Amino acid sequence: MNGLSKAENNLFGGIIGSGSLHLQLNRRQKTLIVIGISSTLLIAIMIAAQLMSNQAIATNFSQQNLAPSWAHPFGTDWLGRDMFTRTIKGLSISIQIGLLASSVSVVIALVLGMCAATMGKKVDAAISWLVDLFMGVPHLVALVLIAVVFGGGAKGVIIGVALTHWPSLTRVIRAEVMQVRTSQYVQISRHLGRSRLWIATKHILPHLLPQFFVGLILIFPHAILHEAAITFLGFGLSPHSPAIGVILSESMGYLAAGMWWLAFFPGLSLLIIVRAFDVIGDNLRTLLDPHSAHE
Amino acid sequence: MNSYNNIKNTQNNQPGYLDKGLSQPLSAPKDELLLVEDLSVAFVQYQKGLKQRNLEVICDLDVSVKSGEIVAVVGSSGSGKSLLAHAILGILPSNAKVSGTISYNGEALTVERQKLLRGNQISLIPQSVNYLDPLMRVGQQVQNTIKTKDAKAVQEQLFKRYHLSEAAGVLYPFQLSGGMARRVLVATAVSGGARLIIADEPTPGLHPEVVAETLSHLKELASQGCGVMMITHDIEAAMKIADRIAVFYAGTTLELAPIEDFKDRGEALRHPYTKALWMALPENDFKPIPGFQPTPADLPSGCLFEPRCQLRTAECSADRPEMRDLRGGKVRCIHAT
Amino acid sequence: MNSAKYVFGKTLRMISLLIALCIVSFILVKNSPIDPVQAYIGADMMRVSEEQREQIAENWGLDKPPVEQFFNWAGAIVKGDFGSSMIYREPVIDVIGKRFAASLALMGVAWVLSGIFGFIMGIVAGMNQGKLIDRAIKWYCLTLAATPTFWLGLILLMIFSVGLGWFPIGLGVPVGVLSENVTLSEKLYHLILPALTLSIVGVANIALHTRQKLLDVLASDYVLFARANGESGFGLVWKHGLRNISLPAVTLQFASFSELFGGSVLAEQVFSYPGLGQATVQAGLRGDVPLLLGIVLISAVFVFTGNLIGDIICSVVDPRIKEGRSSV
């Protein structure tokens, strides 16, 4: 009964009764629609970035410093490059790096989380110590260190972002595996003499798959924001690539001249993309496991 | 009894529904301190994929308590009995849908009256020490519930009455032993001078001595004129002090019987489930009832006990039987005689 | 007694983590493509002969085997000697000391402001669950969490410096004034925008967390019982809520030093604020290995200290830890 009462508890409103049946039915549809719209947005950006010609981001001195207009929704910069095209291409790069880096992070988290939960106390202690170690250094400082050590550039960023986003998911997966392991059906399998590997692949792994995907999507926003930040600071992608971090860092020189659009639109677009991933992840989680929803 | 059925109220989904259509006082007999009729409590629950379903955890429940009487609501663990207590006090979660009527002292217990009465006229003795604030000293918590001026003095008096040392007041809930926790909970519940006391599972896995002590507290409260509703899965504890027993099964009450009927081989009992329950006790046949209690998710369409009943006929699965008066008690079975 | 034991255990763990961090960062840097000698010489590359370079390397002990180098370096660190910064031409510890003071002022202001406002927002949202104000606060916090800190800084810069002209655009120390001669009011003046940026971003986490904690508390058995006893409304939240949510909120706020430091790196870059964050970026970009390693260690100490303070406060305030689990 506790699960029910915890699901939604309103202290101050009418104590008894709320939410009609009609509204509740829409929740599933609403969730699906939100996921659909956000995913479409992300896919559209990826496709658009491929289709857009590089012509628009070539230097064009006849189109310098234009404020936003229908021809150039995000304006143009001091080299006459179309900021809309640069932004879309930049976002596409961000999404790709985010995908690569968060995939690596999720795999690391999965392996470490499984090991921590199944390989005994010593391994568990060692992994939790490792998690603490990574969480002990400010994330951005760790990124700078790793990016510098690996020679900067795209390689430095990807390695940096990939190697620093696993700790919190590792904790989640560890806890999840611990819970499944003590559940009855796993206990029964063990009594039936199934091997550890059999239990891990037949029982635990399928249970973790949703966690895995949701984790992947929820790491995305962090990965993208960190990539942009580190590039903004000058450690990441080369100044020639149309990355959001590069665009924003360049824009700093032109703010005093009143060219607000150079920073405003690219940053806002990044925000929307990050938020879209957040929304997808949260809604997927609610869909797969309604009780986890922080509602 | 039947005279109320025509004013039963089934408007769901609206806070304060109990006000509507019930503004005129019910003409309930004065001796019924608490009267619950056709009470239903349902929840909307989400499953994987956000498919929703409506869970009716309590349906068509009837029970009543008189002043100075102890009524035990007996049912197996996890069958939603606590929700009955929460519904009477008006502290159900907000996603709960309630219908039916509850009246206290002859008047409908509206949301406003519930707010007004809980903590002074109606109070709860909760299940466990988890119902105390983990970060507050217990003495302070008892004082919180006392509305009169000198809360500290009243609390100290209460502690004395329930044999709690003065030092116990500065302890935190996690530091209490089982017996002490029980006494603190009782002290908290009676601090406001309640006339109706709802004890929710007051004897969960306690030491026999503590059980006896707790039951004697309840008995004492009833002898002082309080109405006591004791919600429990422990039929033996209920037998020791209750005047009447309400048998709770799958979210409803199947029978209301005076305690005297629980004797010999249960011939005086009315419902087949009550009889089976009585015979399943260790001092009788100690024979479990075959089958399982249905979960709120898949209740049978007819009588809730029908799938497990020895006396079932085709009629049983057609409709839910109404509660009817029988030999000084009530029963929800078409075959009961 | 219990508190002391608890804190001692935490401290021991922190020391072990710091030692490991020293080893890991040292190995990383040693295997990196950075040539410390080249980083040191910088633009003077052409004027320095091969022999001089070797001499510098020998001076720093770079010709010794890595393990020996590590122990020399670690030994010096234990004595408080982090070496010399190549770009600032000063002992690393001095660079960090000066700049950390500036960053601490910035982070301190942001920490206090975001903590207070976040906590209040969380309570307001939690008390009004599902209502418009709750949804607004939640939406605001989730959006903030998705906002790049440096972009927010740029927006504030555009509004308050370029648009309204309240602050100069190239912040930091005014041109032509020695940093020693900057007055306190000027320092505060320069602090406002970056601190505002960090405060706005910092609110999100604490507000969402406090909101969730409050919802948990309101759904708890003891609040149910308090309601059964006639307590209600703000009094109930005040009596039972505050106690039970402020403890985790304080712990969380102390555990947020990591994000705070990262945020200050970005904010300092945007507003050219002369703090440790800016030094981090310079050290990284120009390959100043001693300074970079120094900052990594100091920032880790900063984060661990935050966690430790949170733990200590918990162990002193929470009776369940302070007075032990034993029953009387």
Side-chain angles (χ1 to χ4, degrees):
Chain A
M1 247 39 274
N2 233 352
L4 282 177
S5 55
K6 272 195 178 144
E8 266 176 60
N9 196 343
N10 188 347
L11 180 58
F12 301 101
I15 303 291
I16 300 170
S18 84
S20 67
L21 191 76
H22 180 68
L23 251 176
Q24 306 285 12
L25 257 179
N26 281 341
R27 200 170 139 189
R28 173 186 163 85
Q29 291 157 345
K30 226 170 86 185
T31 307
L32 288 174
I33 289 170
V34 168
I35 292 175
I37 292 176
S38 307
S39 316
T40 313
L41 176 72
L42 297 176
I43 293 165
I45 286 172
M46 299 289 288
I47 295 172
Q50 293 305 313
L51 296 180
M52 280 173 167
S53 78
N54 285 327
Q55 200 63 44
I57 53 170
T59 309
N60 180 353
F61 289 111
S62 65
Q63 303 271 329
Q64 267 172 298
N65 302 339
L66 295 178
S69 65
W70 282 114
H72 302 285
F74 290 6
T76 63
D77 66 4
W78 63 98
L79 292 174
R81 292 176 291 188
D82 177 46
M83 290 308 289
F84 181 69
T85 313
R86 287 190 85 197
T87 301
I88 296 292
K89 287 195 182 275
L91 291 178
S92 161
I93 293 181
S94 287
I95 295 173
Q96 287 171 43
I97 290 184
L99 183 65
L100 190 63
S102 45
S103 308
V104 175
S105 268
V106 171
V107 171
I108 296 176
L110 192 69
V111 171
L112 288 183
M114 290 269 282
C115 289
T118 55
M119 289 175 69
K121 273 204 176 125
K122 276 185 189 157
V123 177
D124 188 19
I127 288 173
S128 104
W129 186 82
L130 198 64
V131 167
D132 280 2
L133 181 65
F134 266 80
M135 286 187 148
V137 186
H139 202 142
L140 206 66
V141 175
L143 278 171
V144 168
L145 179 68
I146 294 178
V148 167
V149 162
F150 286 96
K155 189 179 88 178
V157 181
I158 294 172
I159 295 176
V161 176
L163 284 185
T164 52
H165 282 86
W166 52 268
S168 48
L169 186 63
T170 302
R171 283 191 182 162
V172 173
I173 288 183
R174 173 183 170 275
E176 196 74 22
V177 177
M178 288 275 196
Q179 203 193 336
V180 181
R181 257 166 56 86
T182 50
S183 70
Q184 247 169 356
Y185 63 97
V186 172
Q187 297 291 349
I188 292 169
S189 291
R190 192 162 302 145
H191 288 307
L192 290 175
R194 300 290 193 186
S195 71
R196 275 186 178 192
L197 189 70
W198 193 91
I199 292 173
T201 52
K202 294 280 179 209
H203 283 321
I204 298 179
L205 217 52
H207 190 86
L208 283 183
L209 248 106
Q211 285 286 342
F212 181 86
F213 283 113
V214 172
L216 180 74
I217 291 168
L218 287 179
I219 283 181
F220 241 96
H222 294 272
I224 291 177
L225 282 178
H226 278 128
E227 178 270 314
I230 204 88
T231 305
F232 174 78
L233 293 176
F235 295 98
L237 303 179
S238 86
H240 308 296
S241 54
I244 301 292
V246 171
I247 294 175
L248 290 180
S249 137
E250 283 173 356
S251 80
M252 279 178 68
Y254 297 84
L255 292 183
M259 291 165 68
W260 55 273
W261 59 87
L262 292 184
F264 181 75
F265 290 114
L268 186 66
S269 314
L270 183 66
L271 193 164
I272 293 172
I273 294 305
V274 170
R275 198 70 171 81
F277 273 112
D278 248 351
V279 166
I280 295 176
D282 267 346
N283 280 293
L284 266 186
R285 185 164 56 185
T286 330
L287 202 61
L288 294 169
D289 181 10
H291 296 294
S292 73
H294 42 169
E295 203 41 57
Chain B
M1 224 49 283
N2 288 331
S3 60
Y4 312 139
N5 283 344
N6 50 2
I7 37 172
K8 97 174 162 189
N9 190 313
T10 48
Q11 287 180 49
N12 289 359
N13 313 328
Q14 284 173 23
Y17 75 97
L18 282 168
D19 306 332
K20 299 191 177 164
L22 280 174
S23 43
Q24 70 272 50
L26 278 172
S27 52
K30 273 279 174 262
D31 60 330
E32 299 282 18
L33 186 62
L34 176 80
L35 184 63
V36 177
E37 285 178 296
D38 292 312
L39 179 76
S40 294
V41 177
F43 290 91
V44 172
Q45 201 189 39
Y46 289 97
Q47 291 166 286
K48 205 167 182 168
L50 282 186
K51 281 175 216 129
Q52 62 135 38
R53 60 179 184 188
N54 215 26
L55 278 188
E56 200 161 52
V57 187
I58 290 182
C59 53
D60 301 331
L61 182 141
D62 297 77
V63 74
S64 65
V65 181
K66 295 185 184 73
S67 291
E69 175 192 50
I70 300 179
V71 175
V73 176
V74 177
S76 54
S77 307
S79 54
K81 299 188 299 291
S82 294
L83 290 173
L84 169 62
H86 299 172
I88 295 169
L89 287 155
I91 52 172
L92 284 169
S94 61
N95 64 334
K97 293 193 287 177
V98 186
S99 63
T101 59
I102 303 173
S103 58
Y104 172 76
N105 216 4
E107 264 183 78
L109 197 52
T110 61
V111 171
E112 281 69 31
R113 267 191 95 209
Q114 281 174 329
K115 270 188 194 162
L116 210 66
L117 296 182
R118 63 178 177 241
N120 43 71
Q121 297 240 356
I122 309 177
S123 74
L124 174 74
I125 300 178
Q127 286 180 33
S128 73
V129 73
N130 288 344
Y131 284 75
L132 293 175
D133 188 332
L135 296 184
M136 201 189 280
R137 300 184 190 276
V138 293
Q140 181 62 47
Q141 299 199 47
V142 175
Q143 287 171 34
N144 274 345
T145 62
I146 299 166
K147 269 119 205 130
T148 49
K149 268 185 222 142
D150 199 3
K152 187 148 173 57
V154 178
Q155 174 250 317
E156 279 165 4
Q157 240 175 335
L158 276 168
F159 268 41
K160 222 169 264 168
R161 175 174 158 197
Y162 287 103
H163 308 291
L164 286 158
S165 66
E166 237 169 275
V170 298
L171 294 179
Y172 288 95
F174 73 91
Q175 294 168 317
L176 300 176
S177 68
M180 280 166 90
R182 193 49 47 198
R183 277 176 266 163
V184 169
L185 292 174
V186 174
T188 312
V190 302
S191 63
R195 291 188 50 209
L196 174 65
I197 291 179
I198 303 172
D200 184 8
E201 211 70 80
T203 56
L206 290 174
H207 196 269
E209 278 170 42
V210 183
V211 172
E213 187 194 322
T214 306
L215 293 179
S216 76
H217 289 151
L218 294 178
K219 192 90 193 161
E220 186 192 334
L221 286 168
S223 68
Q224 289 162 0
C226 290
V228 177
M229 179 189 273
M230 174 180 168
I231 297 175
T232 183
H233 70 278
D234 185 350
I235 192 165
E236 288 170 89
M239 302 289 305
K240 284 184 193 138
I241 59 164
D243 298 301
R244 281 190 299 149
I245 288 189
V247 178
F248 186 94
Y249 182 83
T252 195
T253 36
L254 293 180
E255 173 166 358
L256 268 166
I259 194 76
E260 303 82 54
D261 294 350
F262 288 83
K263 59 168 192 251
D264 306 328
R265 303 202 53 84
E267 294 89 351
L269 294 170
R270 293 152 196 83
H271 201 282
Y273 175 65
T274 319
K275 289 184 187 176
L277 203 63
W278 172 244
M279 293 314 291
L281 287 180
E283 58 268 34
N284 298 326
D285 284 357
F286 206 19
K287 197 176 71 190
I289 312 165
F292 297 96
Q293 196 172 135
T295 62
D298 54 347
L299 294 179
S301 57
C303 172
L304 295 174
F305 187 61
E306 178 262 337
R308 299 168 73 185
C309 188
Q310 306 278 331
L311 307 175
R312 68 167 173 267
T313 59
E315 291 164 276
C316 293
S317 53
D319 279 311
R320 297 259 164 93
E322 290 281 310
M323 195 68 142
R324 61 189 169 99
D325 292 307
L326 183 69
R327 288 189 279 114
K330 287 170 195 282
V331 70
R332 203 184 275 283
C333 173
I334 49 173
H335 299 298
T337 48
Chain C
M1 229 17 240
N2 265 311
S3 303
K5 214 168 149 188
Y6 179 75
V7 170
F8 181 73
K10 292 274 180 187
T11 313
L12 218 58
R13 189 175 177 89
M14 175 178 136
I15 292 170
S16 80
L17 287 169
L18 277 177
I19 293 172
L21 185 63
C22 284
I23 299 172
V24 171
S25 16
F26 188 83
I27 294 172
L28 276 177
V29 169
K30 275 300 145 203
N31 291 300
S32 76
I34 305 170
D35 177 357
V37 179
Q38 192 170 333
Y40 176 69
I41 299 163
D44 298 334
M45 198 66 186
M46 303 301 286
R47 279 182 275 156
V48 178
S49 71
E50 191 61 28
E51 267 172 42
Q52 281 171 302
R53 297 187 53 165
E54 271 168 29
Q55 205 172 352
I56 295 170
E58 205 182 303
N59 262 347
W60 288 344
L62 293 174
D63 49 347
K64 306 224 171 78
V67 177
E68 198 181 328
Q69 281 185 43
F70 173 75
F71 279 108
N72 287 339
W73 175 73
I77 281 181
V78 172
K79 288 183 213 138
D81 176 15
F82 284 73
S84 283
S85 160
M86 294 161 178
I87 51 176
Y88 294 100
R89 314 272 158 161
E90 281 187 84
V92 165
I93 199 77
D94 292 349
V95 177
I96 292 180
K98 259 184 268 169
R99 296 194 158 244
F100 206 10
S103 290
L104 269 184
L106 170 63
M107 291 190 284
V109 171
W111 188 78
V112 171
L113 287 181
S114 64
I116 293 172
F117 283 106
F119 190 62
I120 294 173
M121 282 165 67
I123 291 179
V124 170
M127 279 180 68
N128 295 289
Q129 196 203 358
K131 292 189 194 154
L132 190 68
I133 177 100
D134 173 39
R135 286 192 211 179
I137 289 176
K138 228 173 84 181
W139 185 87
Y140 177 74
C141 288
L142 289 174
T143 305
L144 274 184
T147 305
T149 311
F150 52 99
W151 180 69
L152 185 68
L154 289 176
I155 298 291
L156 293 183
L157 198 64
M158 282 195 286
I159 296 173
F160 293 104
S161 298
V162 181
L164 298 169
W166 292 357
F167 300 93
I169 293 167
L171 288 174
V173 181
V175 185
V177 181
L178 283 173
S179 58
E180 289 83 45
N181 298 340
V182 182
T183 61
L184 184 69
S185 65
E186 273 176 310
K187 278 186 182 167
L188 282 177
Y189 184 54
H190 294 138
L191 190 76
I192 296 174
L193 279 189
L196 187 63
T197 309
L198 287 186
S199 310
I200 293 178
V201 174
V203 158
N205 206 7
I206 185 87
L208 288 174
H209 184 266
T210 302
R211 173 186 180 273
Q212 190 54 46
K213 274 285 163 213
L214 183 58
L215 293 186
D216 290 348
V217 168
L218 292 182
S220 70
D221 288 340
Y222 55 88
V223 164
L224 193 77
F225 187 44
R227 285 171 56 201
N229 282 320
E231 294 181 50
S232 66
F234 192 73
L236 181 111
V237 172
W238 184 259
K239 267 188 204 145
H240 301 286
L242 275 191
R243 257 167 222 268
N244 285 288
I245 57 174
S246 48
L247 213 52
V250 167
T251 317
L252 181 80
Q253 194 63 354
F254 275 104
S256 73
F257 279 18
S258 167
E259 288 100 74
L260 192 64
F261 194 94
S264 86
V265 172
L266 293 166
E268 287 177 16
Q269 184 74 1
V270 172
F271 296 101
S272 17
Y273 184 88
L276 198 56
Q278 213 187 33
T280 313
V281 176
Q282 289 306 318
L285 287 178
R286 292 162 69 180
D288 189 342
V289 173
L291 183 57
L292 189 59
L293 284 178
I295 290 173
V296 168
L297 290 182
I298 292 294
S299 65
V301 170
F302 178 64
V303 173
F304 287 139
T305 309
N307 287 332
L308 194 63
I309 295 174
D311 287 338
I312 290 175
I313 290 178
C314 248
S315 71
V316 172
V317 176
D318 192 332
R320 286 164 294 189
I321 300 175
K322 192 173 74 180
E323 297 185 19
R325 282 243 161 239
S326 59
S327 58
V328 177

